[in-house]
Amino acid sequence: MLWTAGVATAPIVKLLAGKTDRAGRVSVGPFMNLQDVPGVFVVGDASSVVRNGRPVPGVAQAAIQQGRYVGRLIARQLKGRDGKHPFHYVDKGNMAVVGKNFAILESGSFGTSGFLTWLVWIFLHLMSLPQLQNRMRVQTQWFWSYFTGQRSSRLIPGTAKAVLPRRHRRASPSGG
């Protein structure tokens, strides 16, 4: 399977007229604000955030923390209060599913992998979804995929023979 992620920021970022980094992300201040433009905040993949001399990684957990921070900051401003503390990113670690029944977890100097880590990944992923309805829907889809072997995320139907050029195919036991 081939999967790619976005390699460029959204075109609207160019309209902000802020200072950008090499990837086209807008440099933001300590309160996730666009420099010299009051009331404009940039979070997630569109923002270039440097804290303690290091860039904040462009991962979902950073974007979620930025969004929550800015939401609270805007709520404070609407009540007539200023933001007290600049944005602070907390690295909660990284998890990834590597295969069926197997995941890895790294958090600081702690690391683990295997079936139990996979179960932890499932639990954390489901609990992070908003609304019980979404959790139930995803859980049902996962159970179905797990027990039937049918994957709804298949993007390119067909066998490797039909998709890959001949030089990239593995020889099958039947010689085909």
Side-chain angles (χ1 to χ4, degrees), residues 19-21 25-29 42 44-51 55:
K19 180 182 169 190
T20 58
D21 66 6
R25 297 174 299 217
V26 177
S27 297
V28 295
V42 183
D45 292 342
S47 67
S48 175
V49 185
V50 177
R51 295 295 170 258

Side-chain angles (χ1 to χ4, degrees), residues 113-134:
S113 62
F115 179 72
L116 289 176
T117 306
W118 181 72
L119 291 175
V120 169
W121 182 90
I122 288 173
F123 175 77
L124 291 174
H125 188 86
L126 287 173
M127 291 301 105
S128 68
L129 293 173
Q131 301 177 348
L132 179 62
Q133 179 183 2
N134 291 337

